[in-house]
């Protein structure tokens, strides 16, 4: 039987959680989620020796990673930003990123090698010198061993398939649980805003929104749409944000909100009292009196009076 399988694993160091960068990551808000995302990114890169490629399936690298590992794009974006700033992720070429710590921690083994290793371990205790008398038995045993190996490989494949199915079921159950909780939250929040029960059409629109947008972003759309009477209107707001303003995640919304408030503050007209613009009146210089001239003038007038 042709051997085409190869198994990979991540050799997590015993001091992984004592690394100062990981401690720093876990202490920030949402840090435990970001740590899990980092581990999932490492697992994603195993087959390519610690390298992640941006294939352009999504508009941004973080969106494509989020799609691959089934995490919220906003959380992945924050994780990638942290990893890049702390030397845990490097862009070596355009659309090519490496995880330096992962490269040091990759293990791999072909299925045939794994099978041989397991077989040798099981037979190690039985090793002994065999007399020529048993040579025929040895040949027979070798043929039997080949058949046993084939059966063992089939069993391994079956076990792997069963394990994969169990993992898929667990993940799907978690997703269903989260979706149900988010839908209940949206129903209650929108009901409180419009003051009446949600219609069947409203619920359908909520389910559609949850397929494409984060719950926090949907709640923000509800908050700013105070006059909305149907959830179809909210869905229209979300679609408009995505196409017109490029708001795809809650993080995008917060960033644009901060930018808008900053720009609005910069444009604000300062209130200045009117007197600030009034000019001071020009100062009229005081006239100086020539007292000697005036004295002579008075004496002349008196002299004239004496003549009469």
């Amino acid at each position: 039987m042709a051997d085409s399988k190869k198994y990979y694993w991540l050799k997590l160091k015993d001091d992984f959680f004592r690394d100062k960068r990981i401690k720093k990551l876990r202490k920030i808000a949402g840090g435990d989620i970001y740590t899990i995302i980092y581990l999932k990114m490492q697992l994603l890169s195993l087959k390519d020796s610690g390298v992640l490629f941006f294939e352009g399936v999504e508009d941004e690298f973080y969106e494509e990673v989020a799609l691959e590992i089934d995490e919220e794009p906003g959380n992945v974006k924050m994780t990638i930003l942290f990893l890049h700033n702390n030397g845990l992720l490097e862009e070596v070429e355009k659309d090519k990123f490496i995880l330096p710590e992962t490269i040091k921690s990759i293990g791999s083994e072909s299925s045939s090698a794994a099978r041989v290793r397991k077989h040798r371990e099981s037979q190690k205790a039985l090793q002994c010198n065999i007399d020529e008398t048993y040579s025929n038995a040895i040949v027979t045993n070798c043929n039997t061993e080949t058949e046993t190996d084939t059966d063992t490989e089939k069993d391994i494949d079956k076990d792997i398939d069963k394990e994969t199915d169990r993992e898929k079921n667990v993940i799907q159950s978690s997703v269903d649980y989260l979706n149900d909780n988010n839908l209940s939250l949206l129903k209650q929040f929108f009901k409180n805003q419009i003051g009446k029960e949600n219609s069947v059409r409203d619920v359908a629109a909520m389910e559609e929104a949850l397929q494409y947008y984060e719950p926090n972003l949907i709640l923000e759309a509800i908050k700013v749409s105070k006059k909305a009477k149907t959830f179809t209107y909210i869905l229209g707001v979300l679609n408009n944000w995505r196409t017109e303003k490029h708001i795809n995640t809650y993080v995008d919304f917060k960033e644009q909100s901060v930018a808008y408030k900053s720009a609005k503050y910069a444009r604000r007209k300062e209130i200045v009292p009117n007197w600030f613009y009034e000019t001071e009146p020009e100062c009229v210089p005081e006239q100086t009196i020539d007292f000697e001239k005036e004295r002579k003038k008075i004496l002349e007038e008196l002299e004239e009076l004496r003549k009469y």
Side-chain angles (χ1 to χ4, degrees), residues 265-296:
Y265 179 80
R267 292 194 303 268
R268 188 185 67 180
K269 183 179 180 181
E270 296 291 342
I271 300 175
V272 181
N274 294 330
W275 57 260
F276 181 81
Y277 299 104
E278 294 178 357
T279 57
E280 294 184 2
E282 294 182 1
C283 295
V284 178
E286 294 183 359
Q287 294 181 353
T288 58
I289 301 174
D290 188 344
F291 291 99
E292 184 61 26
K293 185 179 179 180
E294 290 294 324
R295 187 180 70 83
K296 290 180 179 181

mmCIF file of all heavy atoms in Angstrom, residues 265-296:
data_model
loop_
_atom_site.group_PDB
_atom_site.id
_atom_site.type_symbol
_atom_site.label_atom_id
_atom_site.label_comp_id
_atom_site.label_asym_id
_atom_site.label_seq_id
_atom_site.Cartn_x
_atom_site.Cartn_y
_atom_site.Cartn_z
ATOM 1 N N TYR A 265 -13.767 67.338 16.581
ATOM 2 C CA TYR A 265 -13.197 68.242 17.586
ATOM 3 C C TYR A 265 -12.272 69.266 16.931
ATOM 4 O O TYR A 265 -12.258 70.439 17.298
ATOM 5 C CB TYR A 265 -12.424 67.432 18.621
ATOM 6 C CG TYR A 265 -11.775 68.277 19.686
ATOM 7 C CD1 TYR A 265 -12.516 68.768 20.762
ATOM 8 C CD2 TYR A 265 -10.419 68.588 19.615
ATOM 9 C CE1 TYR A 265 -11.920 69.560 21.733
ATOM 10 C CE2 TYR A 265 -9.825 69.377 20.587
ATOM 11 C CZ TYR A 265 -10.580 69.858 21.645
ATOM 12 O OH TYR A 265 -10.000 70.636 22.603
ATOM 13 N N ALA A 266 -11.515 68.787 15.917
ATOM 14 C CA ALA A 266 -10.580 69.692 15.230
ATOM 15 C C ALA A 266 -11.323 70.773 14.455
ATOM 16 O O ALA A 266 -10.828 71.890 14.288
ATOM 17 C CB ALA A 266 -9.682 68.887 14.292
ATOM 18 N N ARG A 267 -12.529 70.440 13.955
ATOM 19 C CA ARG A 267 -13.303 71.408 13.161
ATOM 20 C C ARG A 267 -14.122 72.357 14.027
ATOM 21 O O ARG A 267 -14.733 73.291 13.528
ATOM 22 C CB ARG A 267 -14.260 70.667 12.216
ATOM 23 C CG ARG A 267 -13.559 69.885 11.112
ATOM 24 C CD ARG A 267 -14.562 69.485 10.050
ATOM 25 N NE ARG A 267 -15.647 68.710 10.595
ATOM 26 C CZ ARG A 267 -15.657 67.379 10.647
ATOM 27 N NH1 ARG A 267 -14.623 66.693 10.212
ATOM 28 N NH2 ARG A 267 -16.683 66.732 11.146
ATOM 29 N N ARG A 268 -14.204 72.112 15.323
ATOM 30 C CA ARG A 268 -15.049 72.916 16.202
ATOM 31 C C ARG A 268 -14.571 74.359 16.241
ATOM 32 O O ARG A 268 -13.389 74.636 16.358
ATOM 33 C CB ARG A 268 -15.020 72.346 17.626
ATOM 34 C CG ARG A 268 -16.030 73.005 18.550
ATOM 35 C CD ARG A 268 -15.858 72.480 19.951
ATOM 36 N NE ARG A 268 -14.585 72.909 20.505
ATOM 37 C CZ ARG A 268 -14.179 72.581 21.725
ATOM 38 N NH1 ARG A 268 -14.925 71.819 22.479
ATOM 39 N NH2 ARG A 268 -12.995 73.011 22.167
ATOM 40 N N LYS A 269 -15.513 75.297 16.136
ATOM 41 C CA LYS A 269 -15.183 76.721 16.164
ATOM 42 C C LYS A 269 -15.120 77.193 17.609
ATOM 43 O O LYS A 269 -16.037 76.995 18.386
ATOM 44 C CB LYS A 269 -16.246 77.534 15.410
ATOM 45 C CG LYS A 269 -15.931 79.018 15.331
ATOM 46 C CD LYS A 269 -17.001 79.747 14.551
ATOM 47 C CE LYS A 269 -16.702 81.243 14.475
ATOM 48 N NZ LYS A 269 -17.746 81.967 13.738
ATOM 49 N N GLU A 270 -14.013 77.783 17.954
ATOM 50 C CA GLU A 270 -13.854 78.287 19.305
ATOM 51 C C GLU A 270 -14.749 79.508 19.515
ATOM 52 O O GLU A 270 -14.890 80.352 18.640
ATOM 53 C CB GLU A 270 -12.393 78.689 19.545
ATOM 54 C CG GLU A 270 -11.411 77.538 19.467
ATOM 55 C CD GLU A 270 -11.583 76.585 20.638
ATOM 56 O OE1 GLU A 270 -12.205 76.990 21.639
ATOM 57 O OE2 GLU A 270 -11.117 75.448 20.532
ATOM 58 N N ILE A 271 -15.372 79.606 20.694
ATOM 59 C CA ILE A 271 -16.240 80.741 21.025
ATOM 60 C C ILE A 271 -15.371 81.851 21.620
ATOM 61 O O ILE A 271 -14.778 81.675 22.685
ATOM 62 C CB ILE A 271 -17.343 80.333 22.008
ATOM 63 C CG1 ILE A 271 -18.194 79.226 21.374
ATOM 64 C CG2 ILE A 271 -18.183 81.524 22.407
ATOM 65 C CD1 ILE A 271 -19.232 78.665 22.317
ATOM 66 N N VAL A 272 -15.296 82.990 20.922
ATOM 67 C CA VAL A 272 -14.455 84.104 21.348
ATOM 68 C C VAL A 272 -15.351 85.323 21.552
ATOM 69 O O VAL A 272 -16.193 85.631 20.710
ATOM 70 C CB VAL A 272 -13.378 84.415 20.284
ATOM 71 C CG1 VAL A 272 -12.493 85.570 20.749
ATOM 72 C CG2 VAL A 272 -12.547 83.178 20.003
ATOM 73 N N PRO A 273 -15.227 86.023 22.672
ATOM 74 C CA PRO A 273 -16.073 87.202 22.916
ATOM 75 C C PRO A 273 -15.833 88.289 21.866
ATOM 76 O O PRO A 273 -14.738 88.421 21.316
ATOM 77 C CB PRO A 273 -15.646 87.665 24.309
ATOM 78 C CG PRO A 273 -14.291 87.056 24.520
ATOM 79 C CD PRO A 273 -14.298 85.762 23.775
ATOM 80 N N ASN A 274 -16.916 89.056 21.619
ATOM 81 C CA ASN A 274 -16.842 90.093 20.575
ATOM 82 C C ASN A 274 -15.772 91.128 20.855
ATOM 83 O O ASN A 274 -15.146 91.661 19.930
ATOM 84 C CB ASN A 274 -18.199 90.787 20.423
ATOM 85 C CG ASN A 274 -19.248 89.830 19.883
ATOM 86 O OD1 ASN A 274 -18.910 88.917 19.139
ATOM 87 N ND2 ASN A 274 -20.507 90.058 20.246
ATOM 88 N N TRP A 275 -15.561 91.423 22.139
ATOM 89 C CA TRP A 275 -14.599 92.472 22.456
ATOM 90 C C TRP A 275 -13.184 92.123 21.992
ATOM 91 O O TRP A 275 -12.340 92.983 21.827
ATOM 92 C CB TRP A 275 -14.595 92.804 23.946
ATOM 93 C CG TRP A 275 -14.299 91.614 24.848
ATOM 94 C CD1 TRP A 275 -15.205 90.876 25.521
ATOM 95 C CD2 TRP A 275 -13.018 91.067 25.155
ATOM 96 N NE1 TRP A 275 -14.591 89.888 26.236
ATOM 97 C CE2 TRP A 275 -13.232 89.983 26.033
ATOM 98 C CE3 TRP A 275 -11.715 91.375 24.787
ATOM 99 C CZ2 TRP A 275 -12.202 89.213 26.536
ATOM 100 C CZ3 TRP A 275 -10.676 90.603 25.287
ATOM 101 C CH2 TRP A 275 -10.912 89.540 26.152
ATOM 102 N N PHE A 276 -12.962 90.770 21.784
ATOM 103 C CA PHE A 276 -11.625 90.354 21.359
ATOM 104 C C PHE A 276 -11.264 90.969 20.005
ATOM 105 O O PHE A 276 -10.098 91.234 19.723
ATOM 106 C CB PHE A 276 -11.570 88.820 21.278
ATOM 107 C CG PHE A 276 -10.222 88.277 20.875
ATOM 108 C CD1 PHE A 276 -9.192 88.148 21.796
ATOM 109 C CD2 PHE A 276 -9.987 87.902 19.562
ATOM 110 C CE1 PHE A 276 -7.957 87.659 21.420
ATOM 111 C CE2 PHE A 276 -8.753 87.415 19.171
ATOM 112 C CZ PHE A 276 -7.734 87.288 20.108
ATOM 113 N N TYR A 277 -12.314 91.141 19.156
ATOM 114 C CA TYR A 277 -12.063 91.655 17.810
ATOM 115 C C TYR A 277 -12.115 93.186 17.735
ATOM 116 O O TYR A 277 -11.821 93.765 16.696
ATOM 117 C CB TYR A 277 -13.092 91.071 16.828
ATOM 118 C CG TYR A 277 -13.013 89.558 16.746
ATOM 119 C CD1 TYR A 277 -13.959 88.770 17.385
ATOM 120 C CD2 TYR A 277 -11.997 88.936 16.036
ATOM 121 C CE1 TYR A 277 -13.898 87.390 17.326
ATOM 122 C CE2 TYR A 277 -11.922 87.545 15.969
ATOM 123 C CZ TYR A 277 -12.876 86.781 16.623
ATOM 124 O OH TYR A 277 -12.809 85.413 16.532
ATOM 125 N N GLU A 278 -12.559 93.862 18.817
ATOM 126 C CA GLU A 278 -12.654 95.322 18.799
ATOM 127 C C GLU A 278 -11.268 95.947 18.913
ATOM 128 O O GLU A 278 -10.450 95.516 19.725
ATOM 129 C CB GLU A 278 -13.538 95.806 19.953
ATOM 130 C CG GLU A 278 -14.985 95.384 19.809
ATOM 131 C CD GLU A 278 -15.811 95.828 20.994
ATOM 132 O OE1 GLU A 278 -15.210 96.413 21.945
ATOM 133 O OE2 GLU A 278 -17.025 95.598 20.999
ATOM 134 N N THR A 279 -11.044 96.970 18.106
ATOM 135 C CA THR A 279 -9.744 97.652 18.139
ATOM 136 C C THR A 279 -9.794 98.809 19.116
ATOM 137 O O THR A 279 -10.837 99.452 19.295
ATOM 138 C CB THR A 279 -9.375 98.192 16.738
ATOM 139 O OG1 THR A 279 -10.409 99.067 16.299
ATOM 140 C CG2 THR A 279 -9.210 97.046 15.765
ATOM 141 N N GLU A 280 -8.715 99.063 19.729
ATOM 142 C CA GLU A 280 -8.666 100.170 20.682
ATOM 143 C C GLU A 280 -8.712 101.502 19.934
ATOM 144 O O GLU A 280 -8.142 101.645 18.848
ATOM 145 C CB GLU A 280 -7.373 100.096 21.494
ATOM 146 C CG GLU A 280 -7.303 98.870 22.394
ATOM 147 C CD GLU A 280 -6.054 98.890 23.236
ATOM 148 O OE1 GLU A 280 -5.285 99.876 23.125
ATOM 149 O OE2 GLU A 280 -5.848 97.936 24.001
ATOM 150 N N PRO A 281 -9.403 102.504 20.480
ATOM 151 C CA PRO A 281 -9.479 103.824 19.824
ATOM 152 C C PRO A 281 -8.101 104.470 19.768
ATOM 153 O O PRO A 281 -7.265 104.262 20.647
ATOM 154 C CB PRO A 281 -10.435 104.619 20.721
ATOM 155 C CG PRO A 281 -10.331 103.941 22.053
ATOM 156 C CD PRO A 281 -10.128 102.481 21.766
ATOM 157 N N GLU A 282 -7.919 105.243 18.700
ATOM 158 C CA GLU A 282 -6.636 105.905 18.544
ATOM 159 C C GLU A 282 -6.465 106.982 19.626
ATOM 160 O O GLU A 282 -7.389 107.715 19.961
ATOM 161 C CB GLU A 282 -6.542 106.578 17.168
ATOM 162 C CG GLU A 282 -6.536 105.569 16.033
ATOM 163 C CD GLU A 282 -6.387 106.280 14.697
ATOM 164 O OE1 GLU A 282 -6.272 107.520 14.698
ATOM 165 O OE2 GLU A 282 -6.398 105.585 13.673
ATOM 166 N N CYS A 283 -5.315 107.063 20.158
ATOM 167 C CA CYS A 283 -5.024 108.060 21.191
ATOM 168 C C CYS A 283 -4.739 109.415 20.534
ATOM 169 O O CYS A 283 -3.875 109.507 19.659
ATOM 170 C CB CYS A 283 -3.806 107.627 22.018
ATOM 171 S SG CYS A 283 -4.107 106.121 22.970
ATOM 172 N N VAL A 284 -5.501 110.442 20.964
ATOM 173 C CA VAL A 284 -5.301 111.793 20.421
ATOM 174 C C VAL A 284 -4.291 112.497 21.298
ATOM 175 O O VAL A 284 -4.527 112.674 22.512
ATOM 176 C CB VAL A 284 -6.620 112.587 20.385
ATOM 177 C CG1 VAL A 284 -6.371 113.995 19.855
ATOM 178 C CG2 VAL A 284 -7.649 111.833 19.558
ATOM 179 N N PRO A 285 -3.213 112.902 20.770
ATOM 180 C CA PRO A 285 -2.190 113.550 21.608
ATOM 181 C C PRO A 285 -2.700 114.881 22.171
ATOM 182 O O PRO A 285 -3.437 115.616 21.521
ATOM 183 C CB PRO A 285 -1.038 113.772 20.628
ATOM 184 C CG PRO A 285 -1.661 113.781 19.283
ATOM 185 C CD PRO A 285 -2.821 112.863 19.360
ATOM 186 N N GLU A 286 -2.382 115.147 23.404
ATOM 187 C CA GLU A 286 -2.814 116.387 24.047
ATOM 188 C C GLU A 286 -2.072 117.601 23.419
ATOM 189 O O GLU A 286 -0.900 117.498 23.068
ATOM 190 C CB GLU A 286 -2.491 116.318 25.543
ATOM 191 C CG GLU A 286 -3.296 115.266 26.280
ATOM 192 C CD GLU A 286 -2.990 115.295 27.762
ATOM 193 O OE1 GLU A 286 -2.146 116.121 28.181
ATOM 194 O OE2 GLU A 286 -3.585 114.486 28.489
ATOM 195 N N GLN A 287 -2.852 118.719 23.278
ATOM 196 C CA GLN A 287 -2.245 119.933 22.707
ATOM 197 C C GLN A 287 -1.387 120.648 23.761
ATOM 198 O O GLN A 287 -1.810 120.812 24.908
ATOM 199 C CB GLN A 287 -3.345 120.881 22.217
ATOM 200 C CG GLN A 287 -4.117 120.310 21.047
ATOM 201 C CD GLN A 287 -5.192 121.272 20.563
ATOM 202 O OE1 GLN A 287 -5.419 122.316 21.208
ATOM 203 N NE2 GLN A 287 -5.805 120.938 19.461
ATOM 204 N N THR A 288 -0.266 121.033 23.374
ATOM 205 C CA THR A 288 0.626 121.762 24.295
ATOM 206 C C THR A 288 0.382 123.281 24.189
ATOM 207 O O THR A 288 0.109 123.788 23.104
ATOM 208 C CB THR A 288 2.094 121.453 23.950
ATOM 209 O OG1 THR A 288 2.338 121.807 22.603
ATOM 210 C CG2 THR A 288 2.396 119.976 24.177
ATOM 211 N N ILE A 289 0.426 124.021 25.297
ATOM 212 C CA ILE A 289 0.155 125.486 25.340
ATOM 213 C C ILE A 289 1.469 126.252 25.482
ATOM 214 O O ILE A 289 2.270 125.955 26.388
ATOM 215 C CB ILE A 289 -0.791 125.844 26.498
ATOM 216 C CG1 ILE A 289 -2.116 125.083 26.330
ATOM 217 C CG2 ILE A 289 -1.023 127.348 26.579
ATOM 218 C CD1 ILE A 289 -3.051 125.262 27.486
ATOM 219 N N ASP A 290 1.646 127.209 24.596
ATOM 220 C CA ASP A 290 2.832 128.093 24.669
ATOM 221 C C ASP A 290 2.469 129.269 25.584
ATOM 222 O O ASP A 290 1.851 130.254 25.163
ATOM 223 C CB ASP A 290 3.218 128.578 23.276
ATOM 224 C CG ASP A 290 4.547 129.321 23.274
ATOM 225 O OD1 ASP A 290 5.008 129.713 24.366
ATOM 226 O OD2 ASP A 290 5.095 129.494 22.177
ATOM 227 N N PHE A 291 2.815 129.130 26.865
ATOM 228 C CA PHE A 291 2.409 130.149 27.848
ATOM 229 C C PHE A 291 3.036 131.518 27.564
ATOM 230 O O PHE A 291 2.423 132.559 27.781
ATOM 231 C CB PHE A 291 2.792 129.680 29.262
ATOM 232 C CG PHE A 291 1.968 128.508 29.746
ATOM 233 C CD1 PHE A 291 2.459 127.225 29.683
ATOM 234 C CD2 PHE A 291 0.689 128.737 30.254
ATOM 235 C CE1 PHE A 291 1.688 126.158 30.123
ATOM 236 C CE2 PHE A 291 -0.085 127.672 30.691
ATOM 237 C CZ PHE A 291 0.418 126.374 30.626
ATOM 238 N N GLU A 292 4.256 131.567 27.098
ATOM 239 C CA GLU A 292 4.919 132.846 26.805
ATOM 240 C C GLU A 292 4.214 133.606 25.704
ATOM 241 O O GLU A 292 4.000 134.832 25.780
ATOM 242 C CB GLU A 292 6.380 132.585 26.412
ATOM 243 C CG GLU A 292 7.195 133.833 26.166
ATOM 244 C CD GLU A 292 7.304 134.724 27.391
ATOM 245 O OE1 GLU A 292 7.183 134.176 28.529
ATOM 246 O OE2 GLU A 292 7.495 135.939 27.270
ATOM 247 N N LYS A 293 3.787 132.857 24.702
ATOM 248 C CA LYS A 293 3.064 133.469 23.588
ATOM 249 C C LYS A 293 1.730 134.018 24.055
ATOM 250 O O LYS A 293 1.299 135.101 23.660
ATOM 251 C CB LYS A 293 2.889 132.434 22.490
ATOM 252 C CG LYS A 293 2.249 132.989 21.238
ATOM 253 C CD LYS A 293 2.143 131.904 20.184
ATOM 254 C CE LYS A 293 1.476 132.435 18.919
ATOM 255 N NZ LYS A 293 1.359 131.389 17.877
ATOM 256 N N GLU A 294 1.067 133.250 24.892
ATOM 257 C CA GLU A 294 -0.236 133.685 25.402
ATOM 258 C C GLU A 294 -0.082 134.933 26.301
ATOM 259 O O GLU A 294 -0.921 135.818 26.314
ATOM 260 C CB GLU A 294 -0.881 132.543 26.201
ATOM 261 C CG GLU A 294 -1.323 131.378 25.344
ATOM 262 C CD GLU A 294 -2.461 131.770 24.400
ATOM 263 O OE1 GLU A 294 -3.328 132.590 24.795
ATOM 264 O OE2 GLU A 294 -2.472 131.252 23.253
ATOM 265 N N ARG A 295 0.997 134.973 27.078
ATOM 266 C CA ARG A 295 1.215 136.126 27.949
ATOM 267 C C ARG A 295 1.402 137.421 27.142
ATOM 268 O O ARG A 295 0.835 138.468 27.458
ATOM 269 C CB ARG A 295 2.454 135.881 28.820
ATOM 270 C CG ARG A 295 2.691 136.928 29.891
ATOM 271 C CD ARG A 295 3.924 136.595 30.693
ATOM 272 N NE ARG A 295 5.110 136.787 29.856
ATOM 273 C CZ ARG A 295 5.708 137.975 29.646
ATOM 274 N NH1 ARG A 295 5.234 139.065 30.212
ATOM 275 N NH2 ARG A 295 6.778 138.065 28.877
ATOM 276 N N LYS A 296 2.189 137.301 26.085
ATOM 277 C CA LYS A 296 2.414 138.472 25.221
ATOM 278 C C LYS A 296 1.132 138.943 24.574
ATOM 279 O O LYS A 296 0.879 140.158 24.428
ATOM 280 C CB LYS A 296 3.439 138.162 24.153
ATOM 281 C CG LYS A 296 4.856 138.011 24.698
ATOM 282 C CD LYS A 296 5.830 137.689 23.573
ATOM 283 C CE LYS A 296 7.269 137.559 24.114
ATOM 284 N NZ LYS A 296 8.207 137.268 23.019
#
